[in-house]
Amino acid sequence: MKNLLAFLSILLLSSICMSAYSQTKLNHIAVYVEDLKASSDFYGNFLGLTEIEEPFKDGRHTWYDIGGGQLHLIEQLPWTAPTINKINHLCFSMADLDSFIEKLRAHNISFEDWPGEKGKVNIRPDGVKQIYIQDPNGYWIEVNDEH
């Protein structure tokens, strides 16, 4: 009987823990940047993210709402350039990717498809169109129309 109660306690505890884990959600993504002003201009003004209150108020952070979570830009001093690879990227979806591509062209900002062909749009097997750009620090960003 003692073993049965112990087993049932473990089963109950594990179901409570599994239930808590199933509620896990994105809280924030931290991106370290060399120049906070240039990066904030890119993410806020160019990509159109909505800036939110930044509690540290130390001049080294900018926070954005990214629809259910936050993006934190953090100026790293001294700057240590990260290892950058397209496989590790942020992704944003927009309703009108074609207009965004025109904006890129108007500002002479290059974009490419997944294989790396400049000026090309990739179409995934599910029909979603996507491009890849780099922010002022060289980080890769996917932009797609899965809005």
Side-chain angles (χ1 to χ4, degrees), residues 7 9 18 45 71 119 134:
F7 173 74
S9 295
M18 291 305 289
N45 296 329
L71 173 65
Q134 288 183 287

Side-chain angles (χ1 to χ4, degrees), residues 1-145:
M1 182 67 156
K2 187 175 182 181
N3 287 340
L4 178 61
L5 287 176
F7 173 74
L8 291 174
S9 295
I10 290 170
L11 187 61
L12 177 63
L13 181 59
S14 66
S15 70
I16 290 169
C17 289
M18 291 305 289
S19 171
Y21 286 128
S22 69
Q23 299 301 313
T24 301
K25 65 177 186 169
L26 175 68
N27 180 270
H28 74 271
I29 298 168
V31 175
Y32 283 83
V33 301
E34 180 176 19
D35 181 335
L36 185 62
K37 183 177 178 343
S39 295
S40 296
D41 184 54
F42 177 82
Y43 284 92
N45 296 329
F46 198 78
L47 281 179
L49 299 183
T50 302
E51 189 171 341
I52 58 175
E53 185 177 348
E54 184 276 295
F56 299 119
K57 306 205 185 322
D58 61 4
R60 293 186 46 231
H61 296 79
T62 304
W63 286 19
Y64 295 99
D65 177 8
I66 55 172
Q70 301 170 0
L71 173 65
H72 299 175
L73 300 182
I74 306 166
E75 190 170 60
Q76 179 182 348
L77 302 171
W79 176 248
T80 304
T83 300
I84 295 175
N85 187 309
K86 191 190 276 185
I87 292 171
N88 297 314
H89 62 271
L90 298 174
C91 179
F92 298 102
S93 295
M94 13 186 100
D96 190 354
L97 182 61
D98 293 330
S99 291
F100 182 70
I101 290 171
E102 289 308 312
K103 183 178 181 180
L104 291 172
R105 288 184 174 130
H107 288 87
N108 293 319
I109 296 176
S110 67
F111 65 92
E112 60 187 55
D113 63 7
W114 174 250
E117 194 170 343
K118 300 282 186 207
K120 296 292 181 179
V121 176
N122 192 66
I123 300 177
R124 298 186 330 204
D126 60 1
V128 171
K129 294 191 310 188
Q130 63 187 171
I131 59 170
Y132 291 83
I133 59 176
Q134 288 183 287
D135 80 355
N137 303 283
Y139 293 118
W140 284 101
I141 299 170
E142 173 186 341
V143 181
N144 69 37
D145 66 356

